[in-house]
Amino acid sequence: MSLLLTGIGVSRGIVIGQAHVADGEPLEILEYNLPQSEIPNEVDRYEQARQAAKRQLRAVRDQIPEHAPAEIGAFIDTHLLMLDDEALSEAVESIIREQQCNAEWALQSQRDELVAVFDEMEDPYLRTRRDDVDHVVNRVQRLLIRGDELWNEQQREASAYPVVVAEDISPADVVLMQSRGVRALITESGGPLSHTSIIARSLGIPAVVGLHRARQLLRDGEPLIVDGLKGAVFANPAEREIEYYRRKRRELFKHVRELKSLRGQAAETLDGARIQLMANIELPEDLKLFRKTGGDGIGLYRTEFLYMNRPDFPSEDEQYERYQELLATADGLPVTIRTLDLGADKRALGRDHGPEDAHNPALGLRGIRFSLSEPNVFLKQLRALLRASADAPLRIMLPLVATTQEVLQAQQMIEVAKQSLDARGQDYDPAVPIGAMIEVPSAALTAHQIARQVDFLSIGTNDLIQYTLAIDRVDDHVNYLYDPVHPSVLKLISNILQAGRRAGIPVSMCGEMAGDPQYTRLLLGLGLREFSMHPSTLLEVKRVITRTNLRELRGKTRAFLRNADPARTPDLLRRLNTRH
């Protein structure tokens, strides 16, 4: 009898094969004190383990396939840099010396402190970076407790069967496993934004994460079907299920070939409406993928990455140079750059700004609130953005706007920045478009007033849904309630789109909802004409657009706005996507 298990599908593809259940025995981190005379040896033992971890990572980096995406090596380099960071070198050694404790415990103490900082971050991507801390710390702790041989043995075992089932897998181990024949991954923890998931997608390895108790429910050598799109795992499948998924796999290959043929084609509906498809850029490596998919521009460039992993804020010139590089890569296509969206979690970066008692960063000093509270930081970024606007088309977007007053205050700051550049005699585009990112219900409900003050609006659905439904989408205890098509969310989106039309300004959407092809027709029917998404989903959305007739959509989407029952929405969506 087959067993169906479900998790989060993070890398599409179908694999039929046997399971290798990896060693799931958790490390037991004991604390014990050492006499002063043994402290130098303990520090040396920790240093030896840290160096061994670096050797392991370098060995993995050497095995990256020649034509693999560049971000894979970058992620491994990130872990190498973390091992050299004083937070995992000098700080741990200090704990050993000051507390006269063993290295494993000192490292665990430092890990807990670092992870607590990431846990406070509101931004889902930044919060997921705690996984990187865990992967690096776990690697060193295993070396301290079990030595190098265990790692070698685990890698040999991993190639015994093509589907690896584990509590968690580091990005480096994903690379190594692929080189040894692993074809699919199942983990009990993790999320779609983790580096492990990103690398699995880059390498084309189907993966399901967040499948709780997978190691208890699946047996070593058991036949499995892994559906990385739906997040489904069939254990001991029947022959008819195997045949069904073989057929699905053939259809998937055909679908991928079809998507590739769309690269040079315009995103145009059957009745001739041209739709703008833009890319969200989260990492420099995303730019390469953007160029391959042929997007119309960059709809969201996140600047907070310029401020991470450093003790100080970037200078105006440094920011200007990064924006210039971005615009050069875009090669004349429009680029929307979002101003800094750090929150109360900025204390994590070792800076002195912000309140120390922010208990709920999601509702604290973040987005445009933070920038307005730090005028020197904000002005420095605005001057850099304005200077870059002299070179190529650029739009400036203000994040987490909640009121019209915030927009007016930000515009006053922009005027101050312009006057500063005038005094220096530096060029900029005096008409650079200024937009507001609508991602909280208060802004969505007053979008008509905000629209009169800006040149464009952009709907940030990730936060808009989170704040509207009071759901933390990265909390796997409640994220099943995260519903992009909840009637309340759709009414807010419709209100924002109407506000843009009445004000005569463009409205884009840059949240994950924009990149999910199951919502493309619904959003087109509501009036969205500019989508911005991760480059990896752009061709999927384009495919739906080229098969859609806008005139046939308008009547059908009214039913969504009349509906007040969330339980009915999936059926309405199914009809919209299947009958069109």
Side-chain angles (χ1 to χ4, degrees):
M1 181 178 178
S2 63
L3 172 67
L4 171 61
L5 305 173
T6 57
I8 304 170
V10 296
S11 180
R12 66 184 305 171
I14 295 169
V15 168
I16 302 170
Q18 291 173 283
H20 167 72
V21 181
D23 175 22
E25 185 178 342
L27 294 174
E28 186 177 6
I29 309 300
L30 300 175
E31 178 187 14
Y32 53 88
N33 293 325
L34 298 165
Q36 184 61 44
S37 60
E38 293 186 19
I39 294 302
N41 289 337
E42 191 66 5
V43 170
D44 183 62
R45 191 169 75 90
Y46 176 69
E47 180 60 18
Q48 294 295 327
R50 194 169 66 87
Q51 294 302 326
K54 291 166 63 176
R55 287 195 296 274
Q56 286 184 354
L57 289 173
R58 291 192 191 103
V60 172
R61 191 176 55 187
D62 291 342
Q63 297 182 50
I64 296 174
E66 188 176 341
H67 302 295
E71 65 263 31
I72 295 174
F75 289 153
I76 294 174
D77 286 342
T78 299
H79 284 199
L80 281 165
L81 288 171
M82 290 172 69
L83 282 166
D84 278 335
D85 192 284
E86 64 179 27
L88 290 180
S89 56
E90 297 171 18
V92 176
E93 292 180 10
S94 295
I95 294 173
I96 295 172
R97 295 182 195 280
E98 292 168 7
Q99 301 184 17
Q100 291 189 227
C101 65
N102 54 312
E104 295 90 337
W105 185 256
L107 180 56
Q108 185 65 29
S109 300
Q110 182 66 3
R111 174 264 176 203
D112 292 346
E113 186 172 327
L114 294 171
V115 166
V117 167
F118 280 98
D119 282 344
E120 288 180 4
M121 295 183 176
E122 190 279 332
D123 186 290
Y125 180 85
L126 299 182
R127 187 164 39 185
T128 307
R129 301 287 67 78
R130 61 163 287 169
D131 293 347
D132 292 306
V133 176
D134 272 334
H135 289 148
V136 171
V137 168
N138 186 269
R139 182 175 297 277
V140 179
Q141 286 183 328
R142 286 186 179 277
L143 284 160
L144 284 166
I145 296 172
R146 300 179 182 177
D148 221 355
E149 183 53 34
L150 174 69
W151 185 71
N152 295 330
E153 183 182 332
Q154 285 179 330
Q155 304 318 309
R156 286 194 295 272
E157 286 180 357
S159 62
Y161 298 115
V163 182
V164 169
V165 183
E167 193 279 330
D168 194 10
I169 299 173
S170 74
D173 288 342
V174 174
V175 176
L176 204 58
M177 288 176 181
Q178 194 227 20
S179 70
R180 298 185 177 184
V182 171
R183 294 163 50 211
L185 305 173
I186 300 170
T187 65
E188 296 180 344
S189 60
L193 299 178
S194 73
H195 282 165
T196 297
S197 298
I198 293 171
I199 285 187
R201 287 193 288 272
S202 296
L203 291 174
I205 303 175
V208 176
V209 304
L211 203 162
H212 301 302
R213 300 172 59 219
R215 290 172 299 161
Q216 296 177 38
L217 297 169
L218 302 174
R219 290 176 285 110
D220 208 46
E222 188 172 27
L224 300 178
I225 297 173
V226 180
D227 184 341
L229 176 62
K230 295 184 176 178
V233 176
F234 289 88
N236 195 24
E239 186 55 39
R240 66 177 182 283
E241 292 167 329
I242 293 174
E243 185 52 40
Y244 171 80
Y245 271 95
R246 282 176 178 153
R247 188 169 66 253
K248 294 289 289 182
R249 191 166 54 185
R250 290 194 292 272
E251 292 171 358
L252 180 60
F253 289 147
K254 181 181 176 184
H255 178 73
V256 171
R257 287 198 299 272
E258 184 184 350
L259 288 182
K260 289 180 179 176
S261 71
L262 292 173
R263 283 177 180 167
Q265 185 176 333
E268 190 172 298
T269 63
L270 292 172
D271 48 345
R274 181 72 165 86
I275 308 300
Q276 296 291 312
L277 293 185
M278 318 286 276
N280 294 346
I281 302 299
E282 297 181 348
L283 298 169
E285 290 74 17
D286 291 337
L287 286 169
K288 297 173 183 172
L289 187 56
F290 157 67
R291 297 177 74 174
K292 289 180 182 176
T293 53
D296 296 309
I298 294 172
L300 170 63
Y301 181 79
R302 302 172 59 160
T303 57
E304 44 272 25
F305 298 100
L306 301 175
Y307 296 74
M308 292 171 57
N309 299 323
R310 53 188 299 161
D312 56 353
F313 285 122
S315 68
E316 177 186 322
D317 285 343
E318 181 182 350
Q319 294 181 69
Y320 170 60
E321 289 170 6
R322 293 295 294 270
Y323 301 148
Q324 273 191 315
E325 292 171 5
L326 171 70
L327 294 171
T329 304
D331 195 21
L333 294 173
V335 175
T336 301
I337 299 181
R338 187 177 71 182
T339 59
L340 183 61
D341 189 19
L342 287 180
D345 52 6
K346 61 193 172 298
R347 286 177 292 147
L349 306 177
R351 296 171 181 134
D352 298 330
H353 308 275
E356 296 182 354
D357 57 350
H359 298 297
N360 191 340
L363 304 179
L365 191 63
R366 55 161 297 200
I368 192 63
R369 301 171 187 171
F370 169 69
S371 292
L372 292 174
S373 71
E374 297 285 348
N376 290 332
V377 175
F378 194 29
L379 282 172
K380 197 179 293 181
Q381 183 177 37
L382 290 174
R383 286 194 297 267
L385 286 167
L386 288 168
R387 287 168 60 191
S389 72
D391 302 322
L394 181 155
R395 304 196 302 183
I396 298 175
M397 184 158 68
L398 309 171
L400 204 77
V401 166
T403 67
T404 306
Q405 185 61 29
E406 288 173 340
V407 174
L408 296 175
Q409 285 181 271
Q411 287 176 330
Q412 289 172 358
M413 297 288 287
I414 292 168
E415 287 305 312
V416 171
K418 288 180 178 177
Q419 291 168 11
S420 175
L421 295 180
D422 288 338
R424 294 185 199 168
Q426 290 178 307
D427 293 334
Y428 61 89
D429 176 6
V432 60
I434 308 299
M437 196 165 172
I438 307 298
E439 43 192 335
V440 297
S442 65
L445 291 169
T446 60
H448 295 82
Q449 285 81 19
I450 294 174
R452 288 198 286 268
Q453 306 299 330
V454 295
D455 300 302
F456 67 96
L457 297 176
S458 183
I459 307 172
T461 53
N462 300 350
D463 275 332
L464 182 62
I465 297 166
Q466 173 172 263
Y467 288 128
T468 303
L469 303 180
I471 297 299
D472 184 347
R473 67 196 181 105
V474 297
D475 182 341
D476 58 9
H477 293 95
V478 296
N479 62 10
Y480 68 96
L481 295 170
Y482 186 84
D483 182 7
V485 289
H486 190 283
S488 59
V489 174
L490 295 182
K491 286 180 173 60
L492 291 176
I493 291 173
S494 177
N495 196 58
I496 300 166
L497 291 167
Q498 282 184 21
R501 283 196 294 273
R502 289 177 184 173
I505 62 172
V507 180
S508 65
M509 177 179 286
C510 58
E512 288 185 8
M513 191 177 180
D516 191 331
Q518 68 174 318
Y519 305 133
T520 302
R521 283 182 176 142
L522 171 59
L523 294 171
L524 287 168
L526 291 174
L528 186 69
R529 297 294 180 267
E530 186 176 311
F531 295 66
S532 189
M533 65 204 77
H534 190 272
S536 63
T537 62
L538 195 144
L539 293 176
E540 291 277 6
V541 172
K542 183 186 287 187
R543 178 175 178 270
V544 177
I545 290 171
T546 58
R547 297 179 171 202
T548 297
N549 188 318
L550 281 186
R551 295 192 189 95
E552 295 178 6
L553 281 180
R554 288 173 186 138
K556 294 177 181 177
T557 49
R558 290 194 194 106
F560 286 86
L561 299 178
R562 289 195 297 267
N563 174 47
D565 181 5
R568 280 197 62 217
T569 312
D571 185 50
L572 290 172
L573 192 64
R574 193 161 41 248
R575 290 186 202 174
L576 182 70
N577 287 333
T578 56
R579 293 183 181 179
H580 192 76

